Amino acid sequence: MPAAPAALRLRAVAVAVRDHRVLVVLRHRDGNAYAVLPGGGVEAGETPQQACVRELREETGLDGVAEALLPVGLDRDAPALYFRVSVGDATPAMPADAPEARRATATNRYDPTWVPLDDLDRIGLRPERARRAVELAVS
């Protein structure tokens, strides 16, 4: 009998925009360079907003407030909720005890940073819904 398909895990994603810049995590993985918005899986017992703020802190070291759910729509294969978040003025830096920091290697890096909105194409922001979420956050 074939194995049952794995259950999809809902993700919560932070969209922080300030001074015409967006907060991203630049990824360098096995020779590929791209960018993602901070976010990750919603854990048992937490709301998507709580997961969004937790993931933001884990991946960037920044504290934030989830202000609004952005109407991006759900991808059936990779469901994610995107929240516009406000963050303080601190410089992003992944905490040393973050799960991503423990997985980092010379060929698998995570670099949180602010990038100009005009650079989203250049940095290869993934997935396409993330780009739509950023557009909604600034409108």
Side-chain angles (χ1 to χ4, degrees), residues 11-120:
R11 297 182 72 250
V13 182
V15 184
V17 178
R18 185 177 67 207
D19 301 326
H20 304 288
R21 297 177 299 156
V22 64
L23 181 63
V24 300
V25 178
L26 298 176
R27 296 285 285 118
H28 305 275
R29 186 174 182 185
D30 300 326
N32 295 311
Y34 58 96
V36 296
L37 297 172
V42 177
E43 295 179 358
E46 72 181 347
T47 67
Q49 294 90 334
Q50 290 168 330
C52 175
V53 171
R54 175 184 50 76
E55 289 287 344
L56 174 72
R57 188 177 318 106
E58 286 179 3
E59 295 182 8
T60 69
L62 300 178
D63 289 318
V65 175
E67 296 178 336
L69 177 63
L70 298 166
V72 175
L74 284 177
D75 180 334
R76 211 178 73 180
D77 296 324
L81 298 174
Y82 292 83
F83 293 91
R84 183 178 63 235
V85 299
S86 61
V87 296
D89 290 333
T91 301
M94 185 172 295
D97 62 346
E100 290 81 2
R102 291 191 302 268
R103 288 193 301 263
T105 66
T107 60
N108 184 30
R109 295 193 331 264
Y110 301 79
D111 300 312
T113 191
W114 291 97
V115 298
L117 289 168
D118 293 340
D119 285 354
L120 292 182

